Amino acid sequence: MHFALTPRFTRCLVGAVAALMAQGLSFSPAAAESAYVEQSQAGARLPVHALPIANSHSGVVPAGRSGPAIPRVAPEAIAAAGRNFAQTVQIGNYNQVAQIQNGANNQSAVGIIAGNANNVGVLQGGNNLRSNLVLLNTQGLSVGVIQPNGSAPVNMLIARLPNGGLLIKR
């Protein structure tokens, strides 16, 4: 789709913005929630505590004062032995990904690119397990990766080809 910025379109756009501003409406950036999901350690008990988010305060702050500065630390920036790491990138609609890790030092990455209505599950039950899974241009697939202790790394690409075929590359 192509939009041309004609003088008439530009005048209409400027007029609409001016009308909204005259009515007292203001434009402010939207705040997004953190994309990081903290994982529990083996044998951990509830409650699970979330990482602090920048600009959040634990209590009421009087007007005109700011609360204490809370550093923003991404989970992957914390190096500690025995940590599990799961990462998901989704570009598409109605995709569902569940990554469950039990053990220590496991890593899992799932990418769904230009995909819709896919279901992916990764279960790692052991130590030092690795999995990388990418779904490219797929629709309606259900994929499960189950890795018991001592399993070989899983590196897999599943792609829908332009001719309609399905490529599964390991």
Side-chain angles (χ1 to χ4, degrees):
M1 187 176 279
H2 182 268
F3 293 101
L5 291 176
T6 63
R8 181 177 179 205
F9 177 78
T10 305
R11 283 192 306 270
C12 290
L13 183 61
V14 170
V17 170
L20 287 173
M21 291 177 74
Q23 293 177 2
L25 297 177
S26 63
F27 298 98
S28 62
E33 292 182 15
S34 174
Y36 298 109
V37 177
E38 186 174 344
Q39 300 172 1
S40 64
Q41 297 296 321
R45 303 278 184 228
L46 290 175
V48 176
H49 300 286
L51 290 173
I53 299 172
N55 298 328
S56 66
H57 305 290
S58 59
V60 177
V61 178
R65 295 190 163 202
S66 62
I70 299 173
R72 184 180 188 126
V73 179
E76 60 269 10
I78 302 171
R83 289 276 174 127
N84 292 324
F85 178 76
Q87 184 175 27
T88 302
V89 175
Q90 296 183 52
I91 302 172
N93 296 310
Y94 309 111
N95 296 305
Q96 296 181 5
V97 176
Q99 298 187 61
I100 302 168
Q101 297 172 322
N102 184 25
N105 203 25
N106 297 320
Q107 293 181 4
S108 175
V110 174
I112 300 176
I113 302 169
N116 296 310
N118 295 296
N119 298 307
V120 176
V122 177
L123 174 60
Q124 294 177 320
N127 300 317
N128 303 311
L129 299 171
R130 306 287 180 264
S131 68
N132 296 299
L133 176 65
V134 176
L135 277 62
L136 180 63
N137 200 27
T138 58
Q139 185 170 3
L141 290 183
S142 292
V143 179
V145 175
I146 301 173
Q147 288 184 287
N149 200 19
S151 297
V154 174
N155 293 305
M156 185 178 295
L157 167 69
I158 301 174
R160 179 70 61 190
L161 301 174
N163 65 3
L166 193 62
L167 171 71
I168 302 174
K169 180 71 175 166
R170 289 193 58 170

